[in-house]
Amino acid sequence: MRSTFKEFARLEGEELKKFFNDAVIVFDTNILLSLYTISNKAKVDVFDMMKALECQLWLPHKVAEEFYCSRPQKMDEAYIFRKAVFTLLDNAVKQTSDRCCFYKECPKVLLI
């Protein structure tokens, strides 16, 4: 049964090493678009991995086309989300500063 359904078998040892050394890695459009929504640290990790595996990466024309067609909308969504988060944070700070003054209550706190 293992030979019939190879894609479900767990690779080990040399088989696993050979798989990763010979694999062609194809990104889905959504993975590329997610780069607009993940943290900078995660982006650096993804780009480092892409650089290390650049000879094994394949970008089909259709994926590139979908990426470029969806990119402006994804950028707008990310901007709107960030703007909403900053608005919420600004409002929370304003409401808090109206009720108390943290700086006067804790003068020895070093704020960075």
mmCIF file with all atom_site columns, all heavy atoms in Angstrom, residues 91-102:
data_model
loop_
_atom_site.group_PDB
_atom_site.id
_atom_site.type_symbol
_atom_site.label_atom_id
_atom_site.label_alt_id
_atom_site.label_comp_id
_atom_site.label_asym_id
_atom_site.label_entity_id
_atom_site.label_seq_id
_atom_site.pdbx_PDB_ins_code
_atom_site.Cartn_x
_atom_site.Cartn_y
_atom_site.Cartn_z
_atom_site.occupancy
_atom_site.B_iso_or_equiv
_atom_site.pdbx_formal_charge
_atom_site.auth_seq_id
_atom_site.auth_comp_id
_atom_site.auth_asym_id
_atom_site.auth_atom_id
_atom_site.pdbx_PDB_model_num
ATOM 1  N N   . ASN A 1 91  ? -7.140  56.063 20.184 1.00 0.00 ? 91  ASN A N   1
ATOM 2  C CA  . ASN A 1 91  ? -8.324  56.300 21.018 1.00 0.00 ? 91  ASN A CA  1
ATOM 3  C C   . ASN A 1 91  ? -8.129  55.749 22.426 1.00 0.00 ? 91  ASN A C   1
ATOM 4  O O   . ASN A 1 91  ? -8.522  56.385 23.409 1.00 0.00 ? 91  ASN A O   1
ATOM 5  C CB  . ASN A 1 91  ? -9.572  55.690 20.380 1.00 0.00 ? 91  ASN A CB  1
ATOM 6  C CG  . ASN A 1 91  ? -9.990  56.431 19.122 1.00 0.00 ? 91  ASN A CG  1
ATOM 7  O OD1 . ASN A 1 91  ? -9.618  57.589 18.923 1.00 0.00 ? 91  ASN A OD1 1
ATOM 8  N ND2 . ASN A 1 91  ? -10.738 55.774 18.272 1.00 0.00 ? 91  ASN A ND2 1
ATOM 9  N N   . ALA A 1 92  ? -7.523  54.576 22.542 1.00 0.00 ? 92  ALA A N   1
ATOM 10 C CA  . ALA A 1 92  ? -7.281  53.982 23.860 1.00 0.00 ? 92  ALA A CA  1
ATOM 11 C C   . ALA A 1 92  ? -6.326  54.850 24.668 1.00 0.00 ? 92  ALA A C   1
ATOM 12 O O   . ALA A 1 92  ? -6.543  55.080 25.863 1.00 0.00 ? 92  ALA A O   1
ATOM 13 C CB  . ALA A 1 92  ? -6.726  52.573 23.712 1.00 0.00 ? 92  ALA A CB  1
ATOM 14 N N   . VAL A 1 93  ? -5.296  55.370 24.034 1.00 0.00 ? 93  VAL A N   1
ATOM 15 C CA  . VAL A 1 93  ? -4.336  56.241 24.731 1.00 0.00 ? 93  VAL A CA  1
ATOM 16 C C   . VAL A 1 93  ? -5.021  57.527 25.172 1.00 0.00 ? 93  VAL A C   1
ATOM 17 O O   . VAL A 1 93  ? -4.829  57.982 26.309 1.00 0.00 ? 93  VAL A O   1
ATOM 18 C CB  . VAL A 1 93  ? -3.116  56.545 23.829 1.00 0.00 ? 93  VAL A CB  1
ATOM 19 C CG1 . VAL A 1 93  ? -2.265  57.664 24.410 1.00 0.00 ? 93  VAL A CG1 1
ATOM 20 C CG2 . VAL A 1 93  ? -2.293  55.279 23.632 1.00 0.00 ? 93  VAL A CG2 1
ATOM 21 N N   . LYS A 1 94  ? -5.830  58.109 24.303 1.00 0.00 ? 94  LYS A N   1
ATOM 22 C CA  . LYS A 1 94  ? -6.539  59.346 24.657 1.00 0.00 ? 94  LYS A CA  1
ATOM 23 C C   . LYS A 1 94  ? -7.480  59.126 25.830 1.00 0.00 ? 94  LYS A C   1
ATOM 24 O O   . LYS A 1 94  ? -7.540  59.941 26.752 1.00 0.00 ? 94  LYS A O   1
ATOM 25 C CB  . LYS A 1 94  ? -7.322  59.878 23.448 1.00 0.00 ? 94  LYS A CB  1
ATOM 26 C CG  . LYS A 1 94  ? -6.444  60.478 22.382 1.00 0.00 ? 94  LYS A CG  1
ATOM 27 C CD  . LYS A 1 94  ? -7.260  60.887 21.172 1.00 0.00 ? 94  LYS A CD  1
ATOM 28 C CE  . LYS A 1 94  ? -6.351  61.323 20.038 1.00 0.00 ? 94  LYS A CE  1
ATOM 29 N NZ  . LYS A 1 94  ? -7.082  61.572 18.809 1.00 0.00 ? 94  LYS A NZ  1
ATOM 30 N N   . GLN A 1 95  ? -8.232  58.036 25.815 1.00 0.00 ? 95  GLN A N   1
ATOM 31 C CA  . GLN A 1 95  ? -9.160  57.744 26.915 1.00 0.00 ? 95  GLN A CA  1
ATOM 32 C C   . GLN A 1 95  ? -8.404  57.506 28.217 1.00 0.00 ? 95  GLN A C   1
ATOM 33 O O   . GLN A 1 95  ? -8.827  57.960 29.272 1.00 0.00 ? 95  GLN A O   1
ATOM 34 C CB  . GLN A 1 95  ? -10.019 56.526 26.577 1.00 0.00 ? 95  GLN A CB  1
ATOM 35 C CG  . GLN A 1 95  ? -11.033 56.791 25.501 1.00 0.00 ? 95  GLN A CG  1
ATOM 36 C CD  . GLN A 1 95  ? -11.794 55.529 25.094 1.00 0.00 ? 95  GLN A CD  1
ATOM 37 O OE1 . GLN A 1 95  ? -11.546 54.450 25.615 1.00 0.00 ? 95  GLN A OE1 1
ATOM 38 N NE2 . GLN A 1 95  ? -12.707 55.683 24.147 1.00 0.00 ? 95  GLN A NE2 1
ATOM 39 N N   . THR A 1 96  ? -7.295  56.825 28.149 1.00 0.00 ? 96  THR A N   1
ATOM 40 C CA  . THR A 1 96  ? -6.502  56.542 29.344 1.00 0.00 ? 96  THR A CA  1
ATOM 41 C C   . THR A 1 96  ? -5.877  57.814 29.884 1.00 0.00 ? 96  THR A C   1
ATOM 42 O O   . THR A 1 96  ? -5.906  58.056 31.089 1.00 0.00 ? 96  THR A O   1
ATOM 43 C CB  . THR A 1 96  ? -5.395  55.519 29.023 1.00 0.00 ? 96  THR A CB  1
ATOM 44 O OG1 . THR A 1 96  ? -6.010  54.350 28.503 1.00 0.00 ? 96  THR A OG1 1
ATOM 45 C CG2 . THR A 1 96  ? -4.605  55.157 30.256 1.00 0.00 ? 96  THR A CG2 1
ATOM 46 N N   . SER A 1 97  ? -5.351  58.642 29.026 1.00 0.00 ? 97  SER A N   1
ATOM 47 C CA  . SER A 1 97  ? -4.688  59.862 29.497 1.00 0.00 ? 97  SER A CA  1
ATOM 48 C C   . SER A 1 97  ? -5.687  60.853 30.077 1.00 0.00 ? 97  SER A C   1
ATOM 49 O O   . SER A 1 97  ? -5.324  61.682 30.902 1.00 0.00 ? 97  SER A O   1
ATOM 50 C CB  . SER A 1 97  ? -3.875  60.502 28.373 1.00 0.00 ? 97  SER A CB  1
ATOM 51 O OG  . SER A 1 97  ? -4.719  60.912 27.321 1.00 0.00 ? 97  SER A OG  1
ATOM 52 N N   . ASP A 1 98  ? -6.956  60.778 29.695 1.00 0.00 ? 98  ASP A N   1
ATOM 53 C CA  . ASP A 1 98  ? -7.979  61.642 30.279 1.00 0.00 ? 98  ASP A CA  1
ATOM 54 C C   . ASP A 1 98  ? -8.290  61.236 31.715 1.00 0.00 ? 98  ASP A C   1
ATOM 55 O O   . ASP A 1 98  ? -8.644  62.066 32.545 1.00 0.00 ? 98  ASP A O   1
ATOM 56 C CB  . ASP A 1 98  ? -9.279  61.589 29.453 1.00 0.00 ? 98  ASP A CB  1
ATOM 57 C CG  . ASP A 1 98  ? -9.121  62.291 28.113 1.00 0.00 ? 98  ASP A CG  1
ATOM 58 O OD1 . ASP A 1 98  ? -8.134  63.044 27.950 1.00 0.00 ? 98  ASP A OD1 1
ATOM 59 O OD2 . ASP A 1 98  ? -9.969  62.071 27.233 1.00 0.00 ? 98  ASP A OD2 1
ATOM 60 N N   . ARG A 1 99  ? -8.159  59.951 32.029 1.00 0.00 ? 99  ARG A N   1
ATOM 61 C CA  . ARG A 1 99  ? -8.515  59.442 33.353 1.00 0.00 ? 99  ARG A CA  1
ATOM 62 C C   . ARG A 1 99  ? -7.362  59.479 34.354 1.00 0.00 ? 99  ARG A C   1
ATOM 63 O O   . ARG A 1 99  ? -7.568  59.646 35.528 1.00 0.00 ? 99  ARG A O   1
ATOM 64 C CB  . ARG A 1 99  ? -9.030  58.004 33.241 1.00 0.00 ? 99  ARG A CB  1
ATOM 65 C CG  . ARG A 1 99  ? -10.444 57.968 32.690 1.00 0.00 ? 99  ARG A CG  1
ATOM 66 C CD  . ARG A 1 99  ? -11.009 56.578 32.773 1.00 0.00 ? 99  ARG A CD  1
ATOM 67 N NE  . ARG A 1 99  ? -11.118 56.106 31.391 1.00 0.00 ? 99  ARG A NE  1
ATOM 68 C CZ  . ARG A 1 99  ? -10.829 54.903 30.969 1.00 0.00 ? 99  ARG A CZ  1
ATOM 69 N NH1 . ARG A 1 99  ? -10.444 53.988 31.805 1.00 0.00 ? 99  ARG A NH1 1
ATOM 70 N NH2 . ARG A 1 99  ? -10.941 54.588 29.719 1.00 0.00 ? 99  ARG A NH2 1
ATOM 71 N N   . CYS A 1 100 ? -6.151  59.276 33.908 1.00 0.00 ? 100 CYS A N   1
ATOM 72 C CA  . CYS A 1 100 ? -5.024  59.268 34.832 1.00 0.00 ? 100 CYS A CA  1
ATOM 73 C C   . CYS A 1 100 ? -3.748  59.632 34.091 1.00 0.00 ? 100 CYS A C   1
ATOM 74 O O   . CYS A 1 100 ? -3.693  59.596 32.874 1.00 0.00 ? 100 CYS A O   1
ATOM 75 C CB  . CYS A 1 100 ? -4.878  57.908 35.493 1.00 0.00 ? 100 CYS A CB  1
ATOM 76 S SG  . CYS A 1 100 ? -4.426  56.607 34.321 1.00 0.00 ? 100 CYS A SG  1
ATOM 77 N N   . CYS A 1 101 ? -2.781  59.949 34.859 1.00 0.00 ? 101 CYS A N   1
ATOM 78 C CA  . CYS A 1 101 ? -1.491  60.285 34.251 1.00 0.00 ? 101 CYS A CA  1
ATOM 79 C C   . CYS A 1 101 ? -0.467  59.270 34.739 1.00 0.00 ? 101 CYS A C   1
ATOM 80 O O   . CYS A 1 101 ? 0.028   59.347 35.862 1.00 0.00 ? 101 CYS A O   1
ATOM 81 C CB  . CYS A 1 101 ? -1.073  61.705 34.619 1.00 0.00 ? 101 CYS A CB  1
ATOM 82 S SG  . CYS A 1 101 ? 0.499   62.148 33.860 1.00 0.00 ? 101 CYS A SG  1
ATOM 83 N N   . PHE A 1 102 ? -0.152  58.331 33.929 1.00 0.00 ? 102 PHE A N   1
ATOM 84 C CA  . PHE A 1 102 ? 0.776   57.267 34.289 1.00 0.00 ? 102 PHE A CA  1
ATOM 85 C C   . PHE A 1 102 ? 2.151   57.836 34.642 1.00 0.00 ? 102 PHE A C   1
ATOM 86 O O   . PHE A 1 102 ? 2.809   57.361 35.548 1.00 0.00 ? 102 PHE A O   1
ATOM 87 C CB  . PHE A 1 102 ? 0.892   56.278 33.126 1.00 0.00 ? 102 PHE A CB  1
ATOM 88 C CG  . PHE A 1 102 ? 1.849   55.152 33.374 1.00 0.00 ? 102 PHE A CG  1
ATOM 89 C CD1 . PHE A 1 102 ? 1.474   54.084 34.195 1.00 0.00 ? 102 PHE A CD1 1
ATOM 90 C CD2 . PHE A 1 102 ? 3.116   55.148 32.817 1.00 0.00 ? 102 PHE A CD2 1
ATOM 91 C CE1 . PHE A 1 102 ? 2.349   53.037 34.422 1.00 0.00 ? 102 PHE A CE1 1
ATOM 92 C CE2 . PHE A 1 102 ? 3.996   54.107 33.053 1.00 0.00 ? 102 PHE A CE2 1
ATOM 93 C CZ  . PHE A 1 102 ? 3.609   53.049 33.860 1.00 0.00 ? 102 PHE A CZ  1
#
